[in-house]
Amino acid sequence: MDYPKLGEKLKNVLKLEREPVAMKWVSREPKNIPKEEGKSRFCTKLDNAMKGDIFYSTADEEECMGGLRYTGMKDPKDFPKNMRSGAFLVPGGVYKSIPAVQRSWKGNMAIEPNIFNAMIFSPLIKAEFEPDVIFLVTNARQGMEILHANAYDSGSHGLGADSGPICSSMAAIPYLTGKITYGFGDIGSRNNMTLKDEEILVSIPASDLERIVSNLEEMKTKTFFRRNQSKTA
């Protein structure tokens, strides 16, 4: 499948301002893609890929516990107790108590640890590999159109993300469920990415990308979506 071409079509049909990001989990470190220099958070990696960077990252380049835990780069049993309990999130105001953290974390999906050694990040239009998940930053209307395109031929619904970290909601969950996910981001991603207040996040399993793009193009020829275009022109 020609993912760069699909990326161009997706950008054009939705009039996206930002580059969609291709993500892939791999068991071996790739030889034809540069390794990330230094450490960064998972959400910052997405931000850098949206700006054009192509790289792969291992546990050694991840500085966020969530990024390590939810992408499967490190077994949570190997974290210090205060991180495993979530106690570190209470002083910063993310949760009021450790029990609240523990209850919240039950809803966060994670890739099984130690089965992958690295993740690849790239703008979709430059992806010379078969991605697993496509991440997008959109406005509300664009996000709505993606969800309509998903339901257009299948009747399927996406999964709305809650306050969990985007390394779970926008990476692990679409990977593990095969469902489109959408949400507003969490406080960590909002603090570490160059997101506008009005922007939302959407992730598409790569196996659905061609269908979504085709549906979007067809929908744009129909009455309701032509009417929507005229209102926003």
Side-chain angles (χ1 to χ4, degrees), residues 178-191:
K179 295 278 191 178
I180 287 178
T181 59
Y182 61 96
F184 310 107
D186 62 295
I187 190 62
S189 59
R190 289 280 174 182
N191 283 343

Side-chain angles (χ1 to χ4, degrees), residues 1 92 105 128 135:
M1 194 176 298
W105 279 1
E128 297 182 356
F135 169 81

Side-chain angles (χ1 to χ4, degrees), residues 25-28 71-73 111-118 175:
W25 282 259
V26 291
S27 298
R28 296 181 180 180
T71 64
M73 292 295 110
I111 304 293
E112 181 180 345
N114 301 322
I115 61 173
F116 297 113
N117 288 325
Y175 179 93

